[in-house]
Structure formats: structure tokens, C-alpha cells
Amino acid sequence: MHATPPRKRLARRLTATAAALAATAGVLATAAPADALSYGRTGRTVDVQLLSFNDLHGNLEPPQGSSGTVTEAQPDGTTKAVPAGGIEYLANSLRSARKGHEYSITAAAGDMVGASPLMTGLFHDEPTIEALNKIKLDATSVGNHEFDEGRAELLRMQKGGCHPKEGCFEKGRTFKGADFPYLAANVTDEKSGKQILKPYTVWKHKGVKIGIIGLTLEGTPDVVTAEGVKGLKFADEVETINKYAKELDRQGVKSIVTLIHEGGMPASGAYNYDCDTPGAGAGISGAIVDIAKKVTPKVDALVTGHTHQAYACTIPDPSGAPRTVTSAASFGRVFTDTTLTYDRRTKDIVRTTVKSPSAKNHVVNREQPKAADMTKLIDRWKALAAPVANKPIGYITADINGRGSEAYEKPLGDVIADAQLEALAPADKGGAQIAFMNPGGIRSDLAFKASGGEGDGVVTYGEAFTVQPFTNMMQTKTLTGAQVIAALQQQVSGPNEAQPKILQISKGLTYTLDLTKKGAERVPAASVKLNGTAVDPAKTYRVAGNEFLMGGGDGFPAFKEGTDKRVGASDLDVFNAYLTAHSSKGAPLAPPAADRITVVK
């Protein structure tokens, strides 16, 4: 930030005064005169812009249904849904925000790829990395979904090269990999103890240096298939951040930002909610709060993710100084603009007794122009995906909400669980009597409005893929009634007590969720029934679910205890088959009643 002419004249006068005082008094000028002498040309401090986002999940096109809106709080206390997202608009938003800022960093907090729509997922997210290169991303942390296809595929995302099995997707083009560093400070090889990727990077511009540490949540193995994290170790978040902050400090890098794929839950879902009401950090809860309170004061700001929430909070560091903790929702619908005031003398970020550095979330609205280079990229990859993506596989009468539903029992969750039960119920397929679906695995809604030229109410293969993108294999296991009840109670106890994960259940299974109680008592054992008959703790039942859930993922160890495992088709194939069998143009599928769980508040 260059000095204005009046400031230059002031600097010259101060310099002359300082020299005269030194000559007559025989002392060195200090404090303000020294600062003016050293920084008169450029200013002692400079504002560094930090633009950030998280949990893009390959959503290059505007997300469908409620996944493509954000909630905005209005002055009169009401809220409204604002259409948002799409890489064409995100790119334009970021480029517009950078204008007038000589010092600008763009960073992300993980889950850039994985659980992606078909247009990029079909090509193992190469289109997403290409798009992120074009928007000039400076760095991102890994997230849990970066490990969906395992370590080797993550390293390919970084270094480039054609897919080991499917080869190059475009004739004459070899995937170049990410121009930006993927940071994985807390991820090491289990045997060698060596880092699999860089723990941090240092951003530099005209003498300004900002250290950027990146990491994922320690609990990544709990939310990824075992195969995806095979041979890897995930260390404690706070210990890791503090270790590398100290290392950067020893190198003379005093300004430090951490990108961490772990987050919190604000009291309101509105992107513009003030989570510092009534006091600093009072309006947010969750894992990131405890982490932020323990991370060394050497770190000046935390960019977070994972929970898909939008917030810009101030959580005091261990010294009591205010520190900004931000998250920008998900799917490219929001970005955060944070101002870091860099002191050239101390080489550190200035953090005062008030909320600092300043941060604000902005909606990636669709009223702005599209970035032409992103439109060209999308059109190119869509043409390659079209033969698969545009195939109709089902019909619906109205929106069937999954990701966008705020209810514990989601209409689309019921459809998916029913699809899994139907596919695995035959004796030669597993003999399933009950099916469970983890809520986090439902990645979108089925929207009635057409996303392309297929027509309203038509469900295409691409849209179904967006809902179930993991292609996890289905499993059926034998569980005792006691284990079935335990699994339902694990929704609201143990690691899931603070943030319940309510499983979606197949038809015939019913129970009560009593929110007036605590822990496992929220699911009374006597309320659990199958086809109207109480589940007998001593009897055995055949239970179906995807391989992630049946492996104990998402904090459900009861499923891991099951025996007599039978592997079935993929969750995507099961879902598609159900939509085709249960809907037609003349008899489309209606949203289910979602009345299997009785909620007491």
C-alpha cells in the first residue's frame, strides 16, 4: 500500500527531525520516528486479503434443489432462500473481489473433490482440479473426501498423470494435476512416519510472508472407507498445528493461517448470522470451538470446513486475544473475505482487542456474469459425460428432498433405504429384513425442475449419481436385536451425542426419538419395532447398508459387529434400479410420507 504525497512529505520531515536529534543529542531516534524512517515509503502495515471457501465437492455446475440455495436473514427477522453456487459464478466473484487488492491470497479448507456430481465424478474429479487451477487457488488443505479413492489417487490429483485404470479421458491431453499445493500436515505413512504431502506452504509477495498450514480432521478414518485410508495415520489437530506454527516461527514466518477441515455448528443456518452474539463465539458449537481455543496464538486465523455451515466468528485464542474462525458453507455457494493487517516490522498480523482480523461471508449469487473460461470448461466436460449423464432412469411428481431437508427423517432417505432393502431382501441377495442409510451419504435432492433438456420430473442418471456418488458396495450382515437397538442409540450417543447422525430407515422399521432425554435414552428400546412387532434383543435379523456404514463408519460400531457378511451391488446401482422399477412417465414416484420416526421434542 503506497504512501500518498502528503504522507511522503511527512516522512521526509520526520526523517530530517530524527537525523537532527541524533546529531545534537548523540542518541538514536526510536519508536515513532524510527517507524517513520523505515516505513515512510510503503507504510508500516499492509492489508492482505484472504479469500477462502471449502467443501466444493466438485460442484462446477450450480447445485440443484435446496443444495443450490443459501439462507439469508432479513432485517425484519425473516429469512429467504437465495440461489447460489456454480464455478462460473464463484470464479467471477473471486476475481471481482481481488480487484484493488495488491496482496491477495485464495485458499480452501478441503473436500474440493469427492462426493462429486457425475460431470466431474465420472472423470475422477480432473475437471474440478482444472477449474481450481484456473481460479488461481493458492493452497488447500486435504479433507476427508480427498481420501475417498485412496492415497494414490490423491497424489495423482496433486502431481498429475492419467488414471491408472481408465487412462486419459481426452485424446491428446494428459492431466497436469494441481498447480496449488494440497496440504496434509497431520497425515503420515503408518510405517515410515513420513508426510504424504507438504504440511504447509509460505505465500510471499513484495516482502510479505504468510505461512499456511493445512490439515484434515483427526477422525478422517471414521468418515472414509477403510480402503481409502489404508496405511495412513491421522494425528491430533491441535498438536499438529502447534508443531508447525512453531516451525514456521523459527523460520521467521510470524504471520500464520491454518486451513483445517473440521468445523462447527452456528445457532442459525443463515450465512449472515452473527455468531458473536451475545459474546465472542457464543453462537457456535462443535469440534472447531475446542480446537480454536487450544491452538497456539502464533496462528492468526483459522479457515475451516467439513460441517457445510457458513460462519465468521471470533473465538479467543489461549492468550485471550480475539481470533477469527470462518467457514463458507459448501458447494461454492459462499466465499469468505478476511482482512489480515500485516506489520512489516514485526512480520506478524496485527490483532487488537476488538474483532480482528475482519471477516465477512458473501453469497456467490447467480445474477452476476458467468466466467467465460469456466463455461468453456464445463461445456467441454459435459459433452464427454452426456451419453451417460442424460439417460432418464426415473420420474417424480415433486421435489424429493434429501440433503436439503432439515428433518431428521428425510423423504429421499426413505426412498434410498427402501431401495436397498428391496435389492437385498431376496434370499440369494442377502435376505435383508432392515436397511439403514447414513444421512451424510445423501449428497443432494431429487429436484422436479429439469436441470437440462430432459423435462420437468425426469430423473437422469447424472442426477441420481449426484445423490449417491460414492458407488459403495452394499452389504448384508446378521445382527442381534440388541445390536440393532444399539445402532439406533448410537445415533444420539457416544461420538454422535453432540451432533446426532440420524440414520434413514427402510419401511417396516419404526421407533421413537425422544429429544427430551439425553444420550442413548433418546431411543427407548421398547419403541423399536419391525412390522409392528417389538425388536427382540435375543433374536437375529438380517441388516443391509453400504460398506462404509457396515464397517462402523460415522460412529456406528454396532454394525461392525455383524456376522455372515454378504456383498451386493453398489448403492448407486440399487438406487437406480429402484427408481426405474417404481416410476414411469405415466406413474411418477411421489415423495414418501417420512413417518417412520416419531420425534418427541
Side-chain angles (χ1 to χ4, degrees):
M1 189 164 58
H2 297 289
T4 59
R7 287 175 63 188
K8 288 182 178 179
R9 290 195 294 271
L10 174 61
R12 286 196 292 270
R13 287 198 296 270
L14 287 171
T15 300
T17 302
L21 287 171
T24 56
V27 296
L28 290 173
T30 59
D35 291 343
L37 177 63
S38 301
Y39 306 102
R41 286 188 175 274
T42 59
R44 174 168 168 173
T45 62
V46 61
D47 285 345
V48 178
Q49 179 188 59
L50 174 62
L51 302 176
S52 58
F53 57 98
N54 50 276
D55 295 276
L56 179 64
H57 291 289
N59 279 268
L60 302 186
E61 294 184 279
Q64 272 202 294
S66 58
S67 294
T69 63
V70 293
T71 300
E72 182 177 77
Q74 303 300 299
D76 63 0
T78 61
T79 61
K80 75 173 183 177
V82 179
I87 199 70
E88 296 157 299
Y89 303 107
L90 177 60
N92 191 58
S93 292
L94 294 173
R95 289 164 182 169
S96 297
R98 290 181 192 134
K99 291 178 180 178
H101 295 272
E102 184 178 358
Y103 301 84
S104 184
I105 304 169
T106 303
D111 278 7
M112 296 295 98
V113 301
S116 305
L118 184 132
M119 193 206 80
T120 180
L122 188 63
F123 306 107
H124 299 273
D125 278 308
E126 289 183 19
T128 298
I129 298 298
E130 184 180 337
L132 294 173
N133 287 342
K134 287 180 179 293
I135 65 171
K136 304 297 182 184
L137 185 65
D138 289 300
T140 183
S141 70
V142 293
N144 55 287
H145 282 284
E146 262 78 21
F147 294 92
D148 282 348
E149 295 189 52
R151 177 199 328 202
E153 183 63 5
L154 170 57
L155 294 178
R156 191 177 77 89
M157 290 293 100
Q158 179 70 85
K159 300 175 182 179
C162 296
H163 192 270
K165 292 183 179 179
E166 299 176 34
C168 296
F169 297 112
E170 295 178 287
K171 188 176 180 180
R173 287 178 183 253
T174 299
F175 176 55
K176 296 180 179 179
D179 293 340
F180 51 89
Y182 256 116
L183 305 176
N186 65 334
V187 188
T188 54
D189 182 272
E190 210 166 39
K191 292 182 179 178
S192 69
K194 293 182 179 179
Q195 305 282 153
I196 67 165
L197 289 164
K198 292 173 61 174
Y200 59 79
T201 187
V202 179
W203 180 90
K204 301 175 183 178
H205 184 64
K206 292 188 177 181
V208 174
K209 294 191 293 186
I210 309 287
I212 303 173
I213 301 169
L215 68 161
T216 186
L217 69 156
E218 182 183 7
T220 290
D222 298 327
V223 291
V224 176
T225 60
E227 190 63 27
V229 294
K230 187 177 180 180
L232 299 177
K233 184 178 180 180
F234 295 79
D236 178 83
E237 301 96 337
V238 174
E239 291 177 6
T240 300
I241 296 169
N242 290 351
K243 171 186 174 181
Y244 288 110
K246 188 175 181 180
E247 185 172 310
L248 283 165
D249 185 70
R250 285 198 302 265
Q251 296 173 13
V253 180
K254 308 294 183 182
S255 298
I256 302 171
V257 171
T258 291
L259 313 174
I260 175 171
H261 192 70
E262 179 60 288
M265 297 296 293
S268 167
Y271 82 91
N272 54 342
Y273 164 69
D274 183 1
C275 51
D276 287 333
T277 301
I284 186 171
S285 60
I288 198 61
V289 177
D290 289 336
I291 290 171
K293 288 179 178 178
K294 296 175 183 176
V295 165
T296 173
K298 294 181 189 297
V299 172
D300 299 295
L302 285 87
V303 176
T304 75
H306 190 52
T307 58
H308 291 203
Q309 301 298 308
Y311 48 83
C313 303
T314 304
I315 301 175
D317 68 22
S319 73
R323 178 166 57 193
T324 294
V325 179
T326 66
S327 177
S330 62
F331 304 160
R333 296 172 295 163
V334 173
F335 74 94
T336 311
D337 190 340
T338 303
T339 300
L340 305 167
T341 302
Y342 183 90
D343 188 319
R344 292 180 179 274
R345 182 171 67 82
T346 66
K347 300 180 181 180
D348 205 351
I349 300 301
V350 178
R351 288 203 279 140
T352 65
T353 56
V354 297
K355 185 174 182 177
S356 176
S358 62
K360 186 176 181 180
N361 279 326
H362 301 272
V363 175
V364 177
N365 70 75
R366 298 184 199 156
E367 296 175 356
Q368 62 184 307
K370 297 179 179 180
D373 58 337
M374 294 300 171
T375 302
K376 185 177 179 180
L377 181 150
I378 288 171
D379 289 345
R380 192 177 97 240
W381 286 103
K382 277 185 75 173
L384 288 172
V388 175
N390 296 337
K391 181 183 177 182
I393 60 165
Y395 301 83
I396 55 177
T397 64
D399 289 353
I400 304 180
N401 287 332
R403 194 77 178 185
S405 172
E406 295 183 359
Y408 288 116
E409 183 182 351
K410 306 176 188 304
L412 189 52
D414 285 0
V415 172
I416 293 171
D418 287 352
Q420 295 176 351
L421 177 63
E422 182 172 290
L424 279 69
D428 63 339
K429 301 296 184 183
Q433 298 165 274
I434 302 168
F436 290 103
M437 177 63 198
N438 55 305
I442 306 170
R443 304 306 298 185
S444 187
D445 307 324
L446 285 182
F448 179 80
K449 186 177 180 181
S451 59
E454 74 276 11
D456 290 347
V458 179
V459 180
T460 65
Y461 182 89
E463 291 165 344
F465 184 96
T466 300
V467 172
Q468 292 272 267
F470 299 108
T471 58
N472 281 328
M473 303 309 292
M474 294 300 301
Q475 295 181 0
T476 307
K477 290 183 177 182
T478 297
L479 273 70
T480 65
Q483 290 168 330
V484 170
I485 294 168
L488 291 171
Q489 292 178 333
Q490 285 163 5
Q491 300 175 113
V492 289
S493 62
N496 293 328
E497 183 165 4
Q499 295 179 22
K501 290 187 175 73
I502 306 303
L503 297 167
Q504 307 302 288
I505 57 177
S506 56
K507 61 183 179 181
L509 185 65
T510 58
Y511 72 92
T512 297
L513 178 63
D514 189 346
L515 299 178
T516 65
K517 297 179 180 177
K518 293 184 178 180
E521 293 181 357
R522 287 179 167 180
V523 179
S527 74
V528 183
K529 297 179 180 180
L530 181 60
N531 299 321
T533 302
V535 168
D536 187 338
K539 287 187 176 181
T540 59
Y541 300 83
R542 292 292 283 169
V543 177
N546 62 56
E547 60 184 311
F548 166 69
L549 187 61
M550 299 307 278
D554 268 352
F556 291 95
F559 293 123
K560 198 172 183 179
E561 297 169 1
T563 59
D564 302 320
K565 181 174 71 176
R566 178 73 178 266
V567 177
S570 75
D571 51 7
L572 177 61
D573 287 344
V574 162
F575 183 49
N576 288 346
Y578 185 87
L579 290 174
T580 299
H582 291 271
S583 69
S584 66
K585 194 170 184 179
L589 182 68
D595 56 0
R596 300 166 189 179
I597 304 173
T598 301
V599 181
V600 178
K601 296 182 180 180

